[in-house]
Amino acid sequence: MSHDAAEAEYTYAAAARGEHHEDGLPCGSQGGESGHSVAALVERAVDLAEPIKPRLRGWLHAGMVPAALIAGIVLICLTRTPQAAVACAVYSVTAWLLFATSAIYHRGTWGPRGEAVLRRLDHANIFLIIAGTCTPLAVVLLPPSQRFVLLWIVWAGALVGIAFRVLWVGAPRWLYTPCYLALGWAPVRYLPDFLHTGGAAVLTLVVAGGLLYSAGAVVYALQRPDPSPRWFGFHEVFHAFTVAAFTAHYIAISLAVY
Ligand SMILES: [Zn+2]
């Protein structure tokens, strides 16, 4: 490998490392390294990084791919108005994209470029599922004037969030995780309307889902609890929270639209 190639690979790998979920690896100094030691560093980093990925990484979300597809079709078929059907279709697509992209990203080994692209999509999907989940709730439970305000807030927020994640690729975890929480809790002022139109069960499930997603975000940000780094680590705990949260919101939306 030429010096330039080694350097390019190092920069690439370092970029991938720096933005990868569970790196935890110390950053090597970029300047002043010889090609040989840089290549050795890359190899060592890859060696260290590989076994860190727990064996069950991605399986929870892989299981959700067919489940979310079927759940989405059932939901759309059982809606009572065309608007609700469209809103539920938007929600179902965002949910399916989230789980499918996550499963592909987390189950496979994609190399630095593939990892970087899939990670971008994986994180963009979090903003989409937030806006997607709000869509049927806004359409079914809110009067038209409030409905459009909430839809504007969440979809504009989602687009800004996606642009932020895509344009600032190395944004630190402590900075972007609160962005998900901020957008996720933006609709909180509409909860009384959800209670009024949807009833106590819908409100309880919407709030429970929000709390479960938030608990997952906290686990993701703190990187603990990390019960079994080899099999089921903190990232799997985070994924488990997303599945539980999605389930709570799916039932809430079902109750609201049937
Ligand atoms: Zn993940």
Side-chain angles (χ1 to χ4, degrees):
M1 182 187 294
S2 73
H3 181 87
D4 282 348
E7 193 114 295
E9 183 165 322
Y10 172 69
T11 310
Y12 215 6
R17 282 287 91 71
E19 64 194 48
H20 197 265
H21 295 257
E22 7 346 90
D23 51 58
L25 292 166
C27 282
S29 62
Q30 291 226 28
E33 293 279 1
S34 77
H36 179 74
S37 66
V38 164
L41 202 76
V42 170
E43 243 150 41
R44 192 168 156 267
V46 170
D47 282 351
L48 281 170
E50 285 307 327
I52 294 173
K53 192 166 172 173
R55 303 251 165 88
L56 294 173
R57 171 62 45 85
W59 279 116
L60 275 173
H61 282 182
M64 286 304 290
V65 175
L69 180 67
I70 294 165
I73 292 169
V74 169
L75 187 65
I76 295 163
C77 290
L78 292 177
T79 52
R80 285 179 296 180
T81 66
Q83 292 101 313
V86 171
C88 287
V90 169
Y91 164 61
S92 302
V93 167
T94 59
W96 191 81
L97 271 179
L98 177 86
F99 293 123
T101 309
S102 175
I104 291 167
Y105 168 48
H106 290 102
R107 285 307 312 148
T109 305
W110 303 103
R113 191 184 292 272
E115 287 260 327
V117 171
L118 284 168
R119 185 171 155 80
R120 236 33 105 255
L121 293 174
D122 190 39
H123 287 203
N125 283 334
I126 299 174
F127 289 112
L128 290 182
I129 185 80
I130 293 170
T133 304
C134 286
T135 300
L137 293 171
V139 167
V140 175
L141 298 179
L142 297 180
S145 57
Q146 291 189 326
R147 175 186 311 162
F148 290 113
V149 175
L150 178 56
L151 289 174
W152 263 107
I153 292 171
V154 290
W155 282 102
L159 293 180
V160 170
I162 290 168
F164 164 65
R165 288 300 286 133
V166 170
L167 296 176
W168 189 7
V169 293
R173 186 179 292 235
W174 61 262
L175 186 63
Y176 66 75
T177 309
C179 292
Y180 301 129
L181 288 168
L183 186 64
W185 285 101
V188 74
R189 61 178 276 240
Y190 295 96
L191 289 179
D193 297 284
F194 291 174
L195 173 65
H196 183 248
T197 321
V202 168
L203 176 78
T204 306
L205 285 163
V206 166
V207 172
L211 290 172
L212 286 164
Y213 273 128
S214 303
V218 170
V219 170
Y220 179 79
L222 298 178
Q223 306 191 21
R224 57 178 58 89
D226 194 16
S228 169
R230 285 193 66 78
W231 284 90
F232 196 89
F234 78 90
H235 201 103
E236 286 59 51
V237 176
F238 157 57
H239 281 191
F241 273 115
T242 63
V243 171
F246 168 77
T247 306
H249 281 165
Y250 178 79
I251 297 169
I253 291 167
S254 300
L255 293 176
V257 300
Y258 288 177

